[in-house]
Amino acid sequence: MKIVLFLVVCCCVYSSIKATVSYDDKAIIINGRRRILMSGSIHYPRSTPQMWPDLIKKAKDGGLDVIQTYVFWNGHEPSPGKYNFEGRYDLVKFIKLIQEAGLYAHLRVGPYVCAEWNFGGLPVWLKYVPGMSFRTDNEPFKIAMQRFTEKIVNMMKSENLFEPQGGPIIMSQIENEYGPVEWDIGAPGKAYSKWAAHMADGLKTGVPWIMCKQEDAPDPMIDTCNGFYCEKFTPNKPYKPKMFTELWTGWFTEFGGPIPTRPVEDIAYAVARFIQNNGSFVNYYMYHGGTNFGRTAGGLFITTSYDYDAPIDEYGLLNEPKWGHLRDLHSTIKLVEPALVSAYPTVTYPGKNQEIHVFKPKSGICAAFLSNYDPHFSARMKFGNTQYHLPPWSISILHSCKDEVFNTAKIKAPTTQKKMTPVGKFRWQSYKEEAPSSEESDTLAMIGLYEQLNVTRDASDYLWYLAEVDISPNEHFFTNGQFPLLTVMSAGHALHVFINNQMAGTVWGSLKNPKLTFSQNVKLRAGVNKISLLSVSVGLANVGTHFETYNVGILGPITLKGLNEGTRDLTKQQWSYKVGLNGETLGLHTLDGSSSVEWLQGSIVAQKQPLTWYKTTFNAPKGNEPLAFDMNGMGKGQIWVNGEGLGRYWPANKAHGNCDECSYTGIYNENKCNRYCGDPSQRWYHVPRSWLKPNDNLLVIFEEWGSLPDWITLVKRTI
Ligand SMILES: *[C@@H]1O[C@H](CO)[C@@H](O)[C@H](O)[C@H]1NC(C)=O
Ligand SMILES: *[C@@H]1O[C@H](CO)[C@@H](O)[C@H](O)[C@H]1NC(C)=O
């Protein structure tokens, strides 16, 4: 307890002189005071600047002390040296709003972030810098990473945003979940970690750096834990605090998968269990998940919604009772914070699956945690002179070691139901996207098959592979009716096959298996046949050792089987390439671009044709409820409003999986409490209010499959 007294003295002497952030084995120390900090992740580009103040206020009302965010390099530097800190990427504004609300910020610079974000946040152009190899002891990578990290740190410093400067940032992060990669690659990984730690430390931010999920994080970096539970984690040095940087409040959704949820009783249990075991910092990942607008979703097949079953839902509304129950937990932790920061717990074991943790510093205050780990049975526990009742899988927190202020499984917060109420339908016009001809000037002829990203540099999801195939009139299949079998092997992620401009089929992969094979008998004619393959990416990999080397697109082989000659290999013949769609080149999703072509309307609107652009205009509904498009019935494509990308839609990709009953008790994993099996993985697509004008908003969709837009409705989200 000597340490504590010393700190109290410290506090009086130094706090008036200079704001400081440091740490010891118990906690982060801000201005001489140890703190138990509750934090939540809100990623600024996953909402709009107009939403930020309300999200931050709801985080504060929910009892958070800190808001944590990643920094999204590929959003900030879309091409080398060309920076973007505007709009949703206005990082300084976001941090200043956190400060104005009286909260702290935890800035995870990365700059690799994972985050179900395209390419894990690294710019695609970075891959093509000569000699580049990501996240290892590689000079080009280290130079680029240092340059961007310095840029961000200097920007924060010049705005006085670090705590010692009077700002809100109390902590940063370098790299992200590097442990598993280092384990994989060995020595160069170790050298890189050391370099990253040293580089970051040298930037002299005046606040601690963390390295999450990295057991060997070099001093003075604090290694921290990410997971559903972290009570068993201990930092790598006895003088570092025990921190939980990502407590997963739910899980992401993939196209083709159901919607994961996590019961709040179990989240509160994970928090209480962590805190009673010396934990002093908990960050909810996510506190507000938000939306992967445009083409920012990454990791393959990640949905546009990044709701995450977070305490604040995708639309910015409270997800009750999750938000309220955690607020009650946070106010309880605040109540007992003086005891928690001043003593180690004394642990006793009153029965099987039962524990009592008592924090009783000399000052006379006292806090106790009574735990019942049994997943099936409730428990009666005697403590002091009182009997306490604990539901299964729950922890009670006692103020003054007497009053039960909170039990993780006893929810007092209200439950609310949300619904989507239709407020508008549309009259559509159409524009047909044609398969290009290899004669067009913007096609590129090459021998053989090329990896998709190498050709598109991710300027578009779409890459055409075009070839011509000569068929002799003497082929036997003309007489026996056995059309040849076309087989196309692709590294992913989706593929539309056209033969002589007629759609022959569509195939797609999944997050677990992005590779795909098209194999179908195709109707060919005598003479020249056009084979047009539209390969579609659905977000780039965000995780895995050297994920930058993962392939996308058609790498072959491509064969035609059942000709007189046997099987013809088309893999090494001439292929022409065209990046993107005509409609993208014309900017059909923008106001100017959309008026550059003739759209069909009325009775001649395109009927069930693949690759069709649809547009309409609409007025914003009155009120301020959040809005969304109900895309049920549509195939796959993208949506824009007034030129802003809402994201990829794919309601035809239905949720496969197991949606069995969900109990809050017992160890949770992301497959445990799934919902909406058999329904679209994502049906509703958020359109932020601030993107709308009162009248004449331009809504454009590009539909790949040929579904009719007649059922699309604008809906309000109401409680
Ligand atoms: C808390 O930390 C102290 C000091 O490191 C240690 O002795 C004790 O075992 C820890 N208690 C728990 C419950 O983790
Ligand atoms: C990328 O494309 C270029 C031609 O544009 C080619 O020379 C190079 O070999 C390709 N690289 C890979 C890895 O496919």
Side-chain angles (χ1 to χ4, degrees):
M1 286 318 99
K2 270 181 195 124
I3 305 161
V4 179
L5 291 174
F6 171 72
L7 278 167
V8 171
V9 174
C10 268
C11 164
C12 304
V13 176
Y14 289 116
S15 69
S16 58
I17 304 168
K18 194 163 173 263
T20 57
V21 186
S22 60
Y23 61 79
D24 66 5
D25 70 317
K26 284 241 59 150
I28 292 288
I29 301 169
I30 304 175
N31 299 333
R33 226 183 110 204
R34 285 175 176 161
R35 296 299 313 277
I36 304 291
L37 294 169
M38 303 307 299
S39 173
S41 289
I42 301 178
H43 295 157
Y44 50 99
R46 285 177 154 141
S47 55
T48 60
Q50 291 78 7
M51 292 170 70
W52 294 344
D54 184 59
L55 295 175
I56 293 167
K57 180 174 188 305
K58 283 171 172 155
K60 185 176 189 182
D61 294 346
L64 295 193
D65 308 294
V66 184
I67 289 178
Q68 183 199 75
T69 184
Y70 280 129
V71 176
F72 297 86
W73 187 357
N74 55 6
H76 290 303
E77 196 177 355
S79 55
K82 296 256 182 324
Y83 291 100
N84 172 22
F85 289 94
E86 303 289 310
R88 284 187 291 126
Y89 291 95
D90 193 343
L91 174 60
V92 167
K93 179 173 186 171
F94 183 70
I95 302 292
K96 286 187 173 170
L97 286 169
I98 293 172
Q99 180 173 29
E100 281 165 30
L103 297 179
Y104 295 123
H106 179 199
L107 193 69
R108 302 171 89 187
V109 181
Y112 164 73
V113 300
C114 195
E116 290 70 64
W117 189 261
N118 201 42
F119 227 36
L122 298 179
V124 171
W125 55 258
L126 189 66
K127 169 178 173 178
Y128 297 96
V129 170
M132 180 61 60
S133 185
F134 284 5
R135 303 179 73 207
T136 185
D137 191 15
N138 168 273
E139 282 311 311
F141 186 77
K142 291 191 297 187
I143 290 168
M145 171 167 164
Q146 177 160 1
R147 194 173 39 75
F148 182 73
T149 306
E150 278 175 359
K151 168 123 193 143
I152 296 299
V153 166
N154 291 340
M155 182 180 270
M156 297 302 116
K157 277 186 186 170
S158 69
E159 300 280 347
N160 293 321
L161 292 175
F162 288 105
E163 164 75 18
Q165 304 175 288
I169 303 172
I170 53 163
M171 262 194 299
S172 287
Q173 176 180 310
I174 197 73
E175 249 296 335
N176 186 50
E177 299 194 338
Y178 191 65
V181 176
E182 188 179 306
W183 179 259
D184 238 24
I185 67 176
K190 278 210 178 313
Y192 166 71
S193 302
K194 282 217 180 72
W195 168 83
H198 186 74
M199 183 271 286
D201 190 41
L203 298 178
K204 304 288 167 219
T205 58
V207 302
W209 289 89
I210 64 141
M211 292 177 103
C212 66
K213 248 171 104 169
Q214 189 171 350
E215 284 168 19
D216 66 351
D219 280 5
M221 306 284 132
I222 308 168
D223 58 318
T224 66
C225 185
N226 297 348
F228 290 115
Y229 309 93
C230 278
E231 64 272 3
K232 297 203 173 84
F233 168 83
T234 44
N236 62 18
K237 293 285 168 49
Y239 43 82
K240 295 180 184 177
K242 173 165 165 172
M243 308 210 294
F244 200 159
T245 29
E246 290 189 15
L247 189 162
W248 301 324
T249 53
W251 199 245
F252 57 82
T253 304
E254 61 189 87
F255 285 120
I259 297 180
T261 65
R262 185 177 182 189
V264 68
E265 296 95 325
D266 184 58
I267 296 174
Y269 172 89
V271 173
R273 207 163 162 174
F274 184 71
I275 301 277
Q276 72 177 1
N277 284 296
N278 287 328
S280 60
F281 175 94
V282 176
N283 176 74
Y284 299 103
Y285 188 101
M286 299 297 296
Y287 194 74
H288 168 257
T291 310
N292 295 314
F293 293 115
R295 300 172 56 244
T296 59
L300 317 170
F301 297 90
I302 298 299
T303 55
T304 293
S305 170
Y306 198 61
D307 181 82
Y308 223 91
D309 197 25
I312 305 176
D313 77 9
E314 177 180 5
Y315 299 87
L317 301 177
L318 300 182
N319 178 11
E320 293 285 36
K322 191 172 266 191
W323 180 88
H325 190 52
L326 295 177
R327 175 204 53 202
D328 296 345
L329 167 62
H330 304 153
S331 63
T332 307
I333 289 172
K334 281 278 162 302
L335 203 60
V336 300
E337 183 181 3
L340 300 182
V341 295
S342 315
Y344 298 116
T346 310
V347 187
T348 51
Y349 305 88
K352 188 166 173 269
N353 287 323
Q354 296 178 4
E355 280 179 20
I356 296 176
H357 294 230
V358 178
F359 295 78
K360 199 172 190 322
K362 290 233 167 66
S363 56
I365 49 176
C366 187
F369 289 65
L370 314 188
S371 312
N372 174 21
Y373 303 146
D374 196 298
H376 305 295
F377 300 106
S378 57
R380 287 196 179 285
M381 226 179 272
K382 193 150 186 299
F383 179 67
N385 298 320
T386 316
Q387 279 263 345
Y388 296 87
H389 168 82
L390 281 101
W393 200 257
S394 82
I395 298 176
S396 286
I397 303 178
L398 311 188
H399 183 227
S400 305
C401 287
K402 192 163 83 255
D403 312 319
E404 180 189 297
V405 198
F406 185 85
N407 173 280
T408 55
K410 297 178 187 167
I411 298 180
K412 292 181 185 140
T415 300
T416 55
Q417 294 296 326
K418 301 206 192 67
K419 64 174 199 260
M420 296 299 210
T421 312
V423 288
K425 300 204 51 128
F426 310 101
R427 277 245 281 293
W428 296 94
Q429 304 180 15
S430 69
Y431 175 81
K432 184 80 184 69
E433 174 84 30
E434 301 292 346
S437 137
S438 53
E439 269 85 67
E440 284 171 27
S441 61
D442 55 354
T443 61
L444 179 70
M446 296 189 284
I447 300 299
L449 295 168
Y450 280 78
E451 197 274 333
Q452 180 161 340
L453 201 53
N454 187 21
V455 185
T456 65
R457 301 293 160 104
D458 204 35
S460 167
D461 277 3
Y462 304 99
L463 178 63
W464 284 104
Y465 292 70
L466 311 165
E468 289 179 350
V469 175
D470 261 322
I471 295 295
S472 149
N474 304 325
E475 287 290 344
H476 293 321
F477 73 77
F478 287 118
T479 45
N480 68 16
Q482 287 278 314
F483 282 107
L485 181 71
L486 174 67
T487 302
V488 181
M489 312 268 273
S490 167
H493 308 135
L495 173 66
H496 305 298
V497 176
F498 296 82
I499 306 293
N500 298 320
N501 293 335
Q502 292 300 305
M503 188 161 200
T506 287
V507 280
W508 64 92
S510 65
L511 172 55
K512 282 206 186 63
N513 186 13
K515 291 198 173 108
L516 51 93
T517 303
F518 173 89
S519 198
Q520 201 174 299
N521 295 88
V522 291
K523 214 170 151 177
L524 299 176
R525 60 191 179 210
V528 176
N529 289 267
K530 263 179 77 179
I531 298 189
S532 314
L533 308 175
L534 183 60
S535 179
V536 189
S537 61
V538 191
L540 302 180
N542 67 326
V543 64
T545 301
H546 290 301
F547 65 84
E548 79 273 21
T549 61
Y550 296 4
N551 291 325
V552 187
I554 303 164
L555 296 171
I558 303 181
T559 56
L560 205 49
K561 192 172 165 187
L563 301 175
N564 293 358
E565 69 202 75
T567 300
R568 195 185 294 179
D569 189 354
L570 310 182
T571 311
K572 297 206 167 72
Q573 74 163 71
Q574 176 173 305
W575 287 86
S576 292
Y577 293 82
K578 181 181 152 73
V579 177
L581 308 165
N582 282 322
E584 289 180 300
T585 313
L586 292 166
L588 291 190
H589 61 287
T590 65
L591 207 52
D592 282 351
S594 72
S595 50
S596 66
V597 299
E598 287 286 329
W599 295 74
L600 302 182
Q601 48 186 311
S603 60
I604 53 170
V605 164
Q607 296 295 316
K608 298 211 173 187
Q609 296 178 32
L611 310 191
T612 304
W613 294 83
Y614 293 99
K615 77 161 183 175
T616 186
T617 55
F618 67 100
N619 297 339
K622 296 218 160 34
N624 56 9
E625 302 92 340
L627 301 172
F629 293 113
D630 182 350
M631 300 297 283
N632 206 11
M634 295 307 289
K636 175 181 184 302
Q638 292 180 46
I639 319 175
W640 298 264
V641 167
N642 295 328
E644 300 274 5
L646 259 57
R648 300 184 183 98
Y649 71 82
W650 199 351
N653 206 340
K654 299 287 191 317
H656 300 284
N658 188 338
C659 288
D660 285 349
E661 269 301 285
C662 161
S663 161
Y664 80 85
T665 66
I667 303 275
Y668 176 82
N669 68 58
E670 69 276 19
N671 298 314
K672 192 170 155 186
C673 291
N674 286 334
R675 286 178 168 180
Y676 302 108
C677 287
D679 288 345
S681 295
Q682 187 178 352
R683 171 174 172 181
W684 292 285
Y685 295 78
H686 180 207
V687 48
R689 279 271 182 185
S690 61
W691 290 0
L692 301 183
K693 314 172 279 185
N695 300 310
D696 279 331
N697 296 289
L698 175 68
L699 166 60
V700 176
I701 66 168
F702 175 67
E703 164 62 30
E704 296 171 22
W705 288 20
S707 302
L708 284 178
D710 301 5
W711 299 104
I712 298 177
T713 39
L714 182 62
V715 299
K716 271 186 188 179
R717 187 163 174 83
T718 53
I719 301 182

